[in-house]
Amino acid sequence: MQWNAATMSSQRGAREGITRQGGRTQIGFALGLASVIALAAAPAQAQSTEGMLGEGMVMYMQMGGNAGDGATLARTTGARDAAKAFGLELIEQYSAWQPETMLNHFREGLAASPTCIGIMGHPGSDAFADLVTEARSAGIVVTSGNAPLTELYKEHQAGGFGYAGVDLYTGGYITGQSMVAQGLGSGDKALVYGLLSEAERGQSTLGLKTALEEAGLSVDYLEISPEVNSDSSLVVPILAAYLANNPDVKAIGTQHGGVTAFIPKALEDAGKQPGDVVVGGIDLAPATIDGLEDGWISTVLDQQLYLQGFLPVTQCVLSARYGFTGLFTNTGSGTVTPQTIGALIPLIEKGIR
């Protein structure tokens, strides 16, 4: 081939055409790659569940004491609010705090094959173990509240077994510390009225007793009977008699909400005046609120019982719908005193606090 100007011009045009075409190819590839990267980096579209999240679900739930009582009302309100929010059917169970009744309620729930069962820890892990295993084998979500079941929580957490309640020992200890801060000193005499015999539930009493003893107080202990556990009004003559026989007692502490509400009446029957005895308790029952306002009660651990109702229902729905594991939530870590009760009263009157 002879090379001349025309040939070179033709060759140069061809090369330029290839270059231009290659450029278009490179640009097209770059744009395509950028589109792929952008799509990969873009957030996925949220897939919201159609209808109510708990629609079609049924939950049997143990509330604790008696319907409407001061140590139970806020828990019931919380559970009902959650059930309404999620569209879940809630079956309420009240046991007057009797462990055997709680076990029977579990059996009733198990026989009905609900979506979930919410239990209270008072009977203890050993008493509940076989029942919880049977329920889990049947595909029922089980969760707990108010008093922990540590061994069952460890075993069944992956299946949605959670806990909503106070870290019991810590709660009792905080109450004892708050009592000491009311002016108690080393050598003062105190009474702890509690439930040391009741599995993990007794940890709150132990924490209270330990805090008082570490502050140097001389501590008497009385066990709450099953009768008083069910009907707290029966505590009045018991404490009045103790006070008559121990006129030098400077403090009374308990971690039983029902008993807390009746301590002012016992003090009054024993001839005491508000402030004569430092009183530490738990929960915000109507009579306890009056006791705080009138100076009969010095400090109360606030469990935020509404959360102990709302959160187990939430646990049930999330575990049954999405397979979430059990959550451990400490619902109370502070106390209410005569100086702070006023701000909470509107919420208490609504059954929320």
Side-chain angles (χ1 to χ4, degrees):
M1 172 183 273
Q2 290 186 347
W3 292 91
N4 56 35
T7 303
M8 293 178 65
S9 175
S10 175
Q11 293 283 344
R12 186 167 58 250
R15 288 196 301 271
E16 289 175 353
I18 293 171
T19 303
R20 286 195 294 270
Q21 184 179 0
R24 287 195 296 273
T25 302
Q26 290 171 358
I27 291 170
F29 175 77
L31 289 173
L33 181 59
S35 298
V36 171
I37 293 172
L39 286 171
Q45 283 280 343
Q47 298 297 315
S48 178
T49 301
E50 293 184 4
M52 304 290 280
L53 199 59
E55 185 176 355
M57 296 184 186
V58 178
M59 182 175 186
Y60 277 70
M61 184 164 171
Q62 300 177 8
M63 300 296 179
N66 301 292
D69 71 30
T72 306
L73 177 59
R75 183 183 296 106
T76 302
T77 303
R80 288 177 179 174
D81 280 358
K84 182 179 179 180
F86 289 117
L88 171 145
E89 181 183 352
L90 182 70
I91 309 298
E92 301 170 12
Q93 297 175 313
Y94 298 90
S95 62
W97 304 112
Q98 292 302 296
E100 189 57 42
T101 303
M102 294 176 184
L103 294 172
N104 288 333
H105 281 163
F106 191 104
R107 295 182 184 102
E108 291 174 10
L110 186 58
S113 298
T115 312
C116 316
I117 299 176
I119 61 178
M120 306 195 85
H122 304 74
S125 289
D126 290 343
F128 267 128
D130 290 343
L131 291 170
V132 173
T133 298
E134 183 178 352
R136 293 293 305 123
S137 297
I140 299 170
V141 174
V142 182
T143 191
S144 67
N146 191 250
L149 295 162
T150 303
E151 294 305 313
L152 295 183
Y153 174 78
K154 292 177 181 177
E155 183 177 353
H156 298 286
Q157 182 188 9
F161 194 106
Y163 173 67
V166 173
D167 182 285
L168 295 185
Y169 183 89
T170 301
Y173 195 88
I174 288 171
T175 306
Q177 287 183 315
S178 186
M179 290 174 65
V180 172
Q182 307 299 316
L184 297 174
S186 180
D188 286 342
K189 186 174 183 178
L191 169 67
V192 170
Y193 190 56
L195 291 163
L196 285 176
S197 66
E198 278 203 18
E200 287 192 70
R201 189 184 181 191
Q203 288 297 303
S204 58
T205 300
L206 179 61
L208 171 61
K209 186 171 181 286
T210 300
L212 296 177
E213 289 174 340
E214 287 182 354
L217 276 73
S218 173
V219 179
D220 287 345
Y221 175 74
L222 291 177
E223 180 79 10
I224 296 174
S225 68
E227 292 75 20
V228 172
N229 196 22
S230 297
D231 181 358
S232 299
S233 67
L234 298 177
V235 75
V236 174
I238 294 172
L239 289 185
Y242 173 85
L243 288 163
N245 292 325
N246 298 271
D248 58 337
V249 71
K250 298 293 185 183
I252 297 176
T254 187
Q255 289 288 274
H256 190 294
V259 166
T260 300
F262 282 98
I263 291 177
K265 174 61 175 170
L267 291 169
E268 191 172 13
D269 285 1
K272 300 291 185 180
Q273 298 296 317
D276 287 349
V277 177
V278 171
V279 174
I282 191 170
D283 294 342
L284 294 170
T288 301
I289 297 166
D290 292 341
L292 284 163
E293 291 184 307
D294 296 338
W296 290 104
I297 298 176
S298 310
T299 184
V300 171
L301 183 70
D302 182 10
Q303 294 193 75
Q304 301 185 111
L305 294 174
Y306 181 95
L307 295 177
Q308 294 184 19
F310 196 96
L311 294 179
V313 175
T314 304
Q315 178 76 66
C316 162
V317 172
L318 293 179
S319 294
R321 179 70 68 184
Y322 295 137
F324 280 107
T325 59
L327 304 175
F328 188 105
T329 307
N330 181 12
T331 65
S333 58
T335 60
V336 178
T337 66
Q339 291 73 40
T340 60
I341 185 61
L344 295 177
I345 288 178
L347 291 173
I348 294 168
E349 290 175 345
K350 294 179 180 178
I352 295 173
R353 291 299 296 274

